[in-house]
Coordinates of all heavy atoms in Angstrom, one line a residue:
F243 N 3.2 9.8 -3.0 CA 3.3 8.7 -2.0 C 2.3 8.9 -0.9 O 2.0 7.9 -0.2 CB 4.7 8.6 -1.5 CG 5.6 8.1 -2.6 CD1 6.6 8.9 -3.1 CD2 5.5 6.8 -3.1 CE1 7.5 8.5 -4.1 CE2 6.4 6.4 -4.1 CZ 7.4 7.2 -4.6
S244 N 1.9 10.1 -0.6 CA 1.0 10.3 0.6 C -0.4 9.7 0.4 O -1.1 10.0 -0.6 CB 0.8 11.8 0.9 OG 2.0 12.3 1.4
G245 N -0.7 8.8 1.2 CA -2.1 8.2 1.2 C -2.4 7.3 0.0 O -3.5 7.0 -0.2
T246 N -1.4 6.7 -0.6 CA -1.6 5.8 -1.7 C -1.1 4.4 -1.3 O -0.4 4.3 -0.3 CB -0.9 6.2 -3.0 OG1 0.5 6.0 -2.8 CG2 -1.2 7.6 -3.4
S247 N -1.4 3.4 -2.0 CA -1.0 2.0 -1.8 C 0.2 1.7 -2.6 O 0.5 0.5 -2.9 CB -2.1 1.1 -2.0 OG -2.6 1.1 -3.3
Y248 N 0.9 2.6 -3.1 CA 2.1 2.4 -4.0 C 3.0 1.4 -3.4 O 3.5 0.5 -4.1 CB 2.8 3.7 -4.4 CG 4.0 3.5 -5.3 CD1 3.8 3.3 -6.6 CD2 5.3 3.4 -4.7 CE1 4.9 3.1 -7.4 CE2 6.4 3.2 -5.5 CZ 6.2 3.0 -6.9 OH 7.3 2.8 -7.7
N249 N 3.4 1.6 -2.1 CA 4.4 0.7 -1.5 C 3.9 -0.7 -1.5 O 4.7 -1.6 -1.7 CB 4.7 1.2 -0.1 CG 5.6 2.4 -0.1 OD1 6.5 2.5 -0.9 ND2 5.4 3.3 0.8
E250 N 2.7 -1.0 -1.3 CA 2.2 -2.3 -1.3 C 2.1 -2.9 -2.7 O 2.5 -4.1 -2.9 CB 0.8 -2.4 -0.6 CG 0.8 -2.0 0.8 CD -0.4 -1.1 1.2 OE1 -1.4 -1.2 0.5 OE2 -0.2 -0.4 2.2
T251 N 1.7 -2.2 -3.6 CA 1.6 -2.7 -5.0 C 3.0 -2.9 -5.6 O 3.2 -3.9 -6.3 CB 0.7 -1.9 -5.9 OG1 1.1 -0.5 -5.9 CG2 -0.8 -1.9 -5.3
I252 N 3.9 -2.0 -5.4 CA 5.2 -2.1 -6.0 C 6.0 -3.3 -5.4 O 6.7 -4.0 -6.0 CB 6.0 -0.8 -5.9 CG1 7.2 -0.8 -6.9 CG2 6.6 -0.5 -4.5 CD1 6.8 -0.8 -8.4
W253 N 5.7 -3.5 -4.1 CA 6.3 -4.7 -3.4 C 5.9 -6.0 -4.1 O 6.7 -6.9 -4.1 CB 5.8 -4.6 -2.0 CG 6.6 -5.4 -1.0 CD1 6.4 -6.6 -0.5 CD2 7.9 -5.0 -0.4 NE1 7.3 -7.0 0.4 CE2 8.3 -6.0 0.4 CE3 8.7 -3.9 -0.6 CZ2 9.5 -6.0 1.1 CZ3 9.9 -3.8 0.1 CH2 10.3 -4.8 1.0
N254 N 4.7 -6.0 -4.7 CA 4.2 -7.2 -5.3 C 5.1 -7.6 -6.6 O 5.0 -8.7 -7.0 CB 2.8 -7.1 -5.7 CG 1.8 -7.1 -4.5 OD1 2.2 -7.6 -3.5 ND2 0.7 -6.4 -4.7
F255 N 5.7 -6.6 -7.1 CA 6.5 -6.8 -8.3 C 8.0 -6.9 -8.0 O 8.7 -7.8 -8.4 CB 6.3 -5.7 -9.4 CG 7.0 -6.0 -10.7 CD1 6.4 -6.8 -11.6 CD2 8.2 -5.4 -11.0 CE1 7.1 -7.1 -12.8 CE2 8.8 -5.6 -12.2 CZ 8.3 -6.5 -13.1
F256 N 8.5 -5.9 -7.2 CA 10.0 -5.8 -7.0 C 10.3 -6.3 -5.6 O 11.5 -6.3 -5.2 CB 10.4 -4.3 -7.1 CG 10.4 -3.8 -8.5 CD1 9.5 -2.8 -8.8 CD2 11.4 -4.2 -9.4 CE1 9.6 -2.3 -10.1 CE2 11.4 -3.8 -10.7 CZ 10.5 -2.8 -11.0
G257 N 9.4 -6.7 -4.8 CA 9.7 -7.1 -3.4 C 10.5 -8.4 -3.2 O 10.8 -9.1 -4.2
P258 N 11.0 -8.6 -2.0 CA 11.9 -9.8 -1.8 C 11.4 -11.1 -2.2 O 12.2 -11.9 -2.7 CB 12.0 -9.7 -0.2 CG 11.9 -8.3 0.1 CD 10.8 -7.8 -0.9
P259 N 10.1 -11.5 -2.2 CA 9.7 -12.8 -2.7 C 10.0 -13.0 -4.1 O 10.5 -14.1 -4.6 CB 8.2 -12.9 -2.4 CG 7.9 -11.9 -1.3 CD 8.9 -10.8 -1.5
F260 N 9.8 -12.0 -5.0 CA 10.1 -12.1 -6.4 C 11.6 -11.9 -6.6 O 12.1 -12.6 -7.6 CB 9.3 -11.0 -7.2 CG 7.8 -11.3 -7.0 CD1 7.0 -10.6 -6.1 CD2 7.2 -12.3 -7.7 CE1 5.7 -10.9 -6.0 CE2 5.8 -12.6 -7.6 CZ 5.1 -11.9 -6.7
M261 N 12.3 -11.1 -5.8 CA 13.7 -11.0 -5.9 C 14.3 -12.4 -5.7 O 15.2 -12.9 -6.4 CB 14.2 -10.0 -4.9 CG 15.6 -9.6 -5.0 SD 16.2 -8.5 -3.7 CE 15.1 -7.1 -3.9
A262 N 13.8 -13.1 -4.6 CA 14.3 -14.4 -4.3 C 14.0 -15.5 -5.4 O 14.9 -16.3 -5.7 CB 13.7 -14.9 -3.0
A263 N 12.8 -15.4 -6.0 CA 12.5 -16.3 -7.0 C 13.4 -16.1 -8.2 O 13.9 -17.1 -8.8 CB 11.0 -16.1 -7.5
R264 N 13.7 -14.9 -8.6 CA 14.6 -14.7 -9.8 C 16.0 -15.2 -9.4 O 16.6 -15.8 -10.3 CB 14.7 -13.2 -10.1 CG 13.5 -12.6 -10.8 CD 13.7 -11.2 -11.3 NE 14.0 -10.2 -10.2 CZ 13.0 -9.6 -9.5 NH1 11.8 -9.8 -9.8 NH2 13.4 -8.7 -8.6
Q265 N 16.4 -15.0 -8.2 CA 17.7 -15.5 -7.8 C 17.8 -17.0 -7.8 O 18.8 -17.6 -8.2 CB 18.1 -14.9 -6.4 CG 18.3 -13.5 -6.5 CD 18.6 -12.9 -5.1 OE1 18.4 -13.6 -4.1 NE2 18.9 -11.6 -5.0
A266 N 16.7 -17.6 -7.3 CA 16.7 -19.1 -7.2 C 16.8 -19.7 -8.6 O 17.5 -20.7 -8.7 CB 15.4 -19.5 -6.5
L267 N 16.1 -19.2 -9.6 CA 16.2 -19.7 -10.9 C 17.6 -19.6 -11.5 O 18.1 -20.6 -12.1 CB 15.2 -19.0 -11.8 CG 13.7 -19.3 -11.5 CD1 12.8 -18.3 -12.2 CD2 13.4 -20.7 -11.8
L268 N 18.2 -18.5 -11.3 CA 19.6 -18.3 -11.8 C 20.6 -19.2 -11.1 O 21.4 -19.9 -11.7 CB 20.0 -16.8 -11.7 CG 21.5 -16.5 -12.1 CD1 21.9 -17.0 -13.5 CD2 21.7 -15.0 -12.0
L269 N 20.5 -19.2 -9.8 CA 21.4 -20.1 -9.0 C 21.2 -21.5 -9.3 O 22.2 -22.3 -9.4 CB 21.3 -19.8 -7.5 CG 21.7 -18.4 -7.1 CD1 21.5 -18.2 -5.6 CD2 23.2 -18.1 -7.5
G270 N 19.9 -21.9 -9.5 CA 19.7 -23.3 -9.9 C 20.3 -23.7 -11.3 O 20.9 -24.7 -11.5
A271 N 20.2 -22.7 -12.2 CA 20.8 -22.9 -13.6 C 22.3 -23.0 -13.4 O 22.9 -23.9 -14.1 CB 20.4 -21.8 -14.5

């Protein structure tokens, strides 16, 4: 983790915007 961009790149997959999108689809259904 030291000196890498792991936190930024993992956020692109598991971060709140994608978490919210997954939830919105299920709640809409």
Side-chain angles (χ1 to χ4, degrees):
F243 294 113
S244 291
T246 69
S247 61
Y248 178 80
N249 283 325
E250 293 138 29
T251 56
I252 198 67
W253 200 256
N254 293 333
F255 186 81
F256 289 111
F260 296 99
M261 192 184 300
R264 285 189 301 273
Q265 292 173 354
L267 292 167
L268 172 55
L269 294 177

